[in-house]
Amino acid sequence: LRIDTFAWYFMMSKRLKKLKRFFLFSLLTTVLLIAAAMYALPVLYKNQIEQKIKDKISEMTGGNYKVVFNDFNLNLFTNTISVTEFQLVMDTAVFKKNGNSMGVNVSAENISFSGVNFWKLFFNKTLQLNKIKMSNGFAKFNWNPDRKKQKNLVDKKGGLEHIILKKILLENVSIDFYNEKKQTTIYSGNADLRFSALRIDKEGLPTASSLHARFSQSKFFFGDQFFSLDTTYFEYDHAALNIRLVALDFSDETQRMLKIFPGSKVKYAFKAKELLLV
């Protein structure tokens, strides 16, 4: 009986070892196949994925914009998309027909998107990105008050109901605001921006938990004249707001451009190395 019991345990032990080796081999093979597929799919279907993204952006913007970029790179291991020479170009004819009061043209030397939440996109009609980083580019805003107001996301952006962007980083981005109706530039400057938890609901209203911005070489235009600022720091964090102005020179000429105290004969100049508003 003891010999039979020992033999049975010996056979069961060998079978368990074989099963363990089989499961480990199967698990390792599955992991390797998934890894190979994650590496191969972006390579094999690069052009199709790239075109699909361009078509989706056009659909989400109601046909108002088209996207152009180079060096498309999709990394499924890190859930990251990166491109160079990115351009979001407004289709002027389409935008004038069914666009909003505000339009924008964007260009960047480098831009990357990471952390796409596909579950929310497919089941909750929510586009969520963990991080957007844009460097060395420009954003040109065209404003025309005669156009319609902002349409909601359901009508305008391919059925999306919410957009959630957890972190947005803009480094060395030139910004221009242009009044299309009066055909004049309102503002130009250079910006570094950092948003946290930016949300846009289906009515198109944006909210953010925090915003940190640095504007330099700012110019506010009044016809042929302009009022310049050296550097402005803008910080908003959960309803706390700080604005810090560096090298402020608020002269008599400036107040005439801003139409403060119109007709006043008082001449003055207000200067500050640093002005903090809380």
Side-chain angles (χ1 to χ4, degrees), residues 82-137:
S82 62
V83 298
T84 62
E85 298 180 8
F86 173 88
Q87 291 184 354
L88 179 67
V89 183
M90 181 173 63
D91 188 325
T92 306
V94 177
F95 194 87
K96 286 183 177 180
K97 183 179 179 181
N98 60 7
N100 303 319
S101 58
M102 182 76 76
V104 61
N105 286 316
V106 177
S107 177
E109 184 178 304
N110 294 286
I111 190 167
S112 63
F113 307 86
S114 64
V116 183
N117 192 319
F118 293 103
W119 295 104
K120 287 188 175 182
L121 183 62
F122 293 144
F123 297 108
N124 294 333
K125 295 184 178 180
T126 298
L127 174 62
Q128 177 175 317
L129 295 172
N130 288 342
K131 185 177 180 181
I132 298 176
K133 184 176 181 181
M134 171 179 167
S135 60
N136 302 329

Side-chain angles (χ1 to χ4, degrees), residues 127-191:
L127 174 62
Q128 177 175 317
L129 295 172
N130 288 342
K131 185 177 180 181
I132 298 176
K133 184 176 181 181
M134 171 179 167
S135 60
N136 302 329
F138 66 78
K140 295 184 177 180
F141 296 89
N142 297 310
W143 177 59
N144 192 324
D146 291 339
R147 291 208 186 100
K148 298 177 181 178
K149 295 181 179 180
Q150 180 75 26
K151 294 182 179 179
N152 63 44
L153 295 178
V154 175
D155 294 338
K156 195 74 187 230
K157 293 183 170 60
L160 287 177
E161 293 187 0
H162 297 88
I163 295 177
I164 302 174
L165 308 175
K166 289 190 174 182
K167 185 178 289 185
I168 306 174
L169 300 174
L170 281 73
E171 298 176 349
N172 189 29
V173 177
S174 176
I175 297 178
D176 289 288
F177 277 90
Y178 181 77
N179 188 325
E180 190 176 328
K181 183 178 181 180
K182 294 185 177 181
Q183 296 185 351
T184 182
T185 300
I186 302 173
Y187 169 82
S188 69
N190 201 65

Side-chain angles (χ1 to χ4, degrees), residues 30-87:
T30 302
V31 171
L32 290 175
L33 287 174
I34 293 174
M38 292 175 68
Y39 173 80
L41 287 174
V43 176
L44 295 175
Y45 297 98
K46 177 181 178 180
N47 294 335
Q48 292 89 329
I49 297 172
E50 182 178 337
Q51 189 58 47
K52 189 68 176 179
I53 291 174
K54 292 179 179 179
D55 294 340
K56 188 62 178 177
I57 292 175
S58 178
E59 177 191 351
M60 289 171 62
T61 59
N64 290 331
Y65 295 91
K66 65 178 181 178
V67 175
V68 180
F69 50 73
N70 295 321
D71 297 331
F72 174 79
N73 181 33
L74 170 62
N75 190 327
L76 293 178
F77 293 99
T78 60
N79 197 7
T80 303
I81 297 173
S82 62
V83 298
T84 62
E85 298 180 8
F86 173 88
Q87 291 184 354

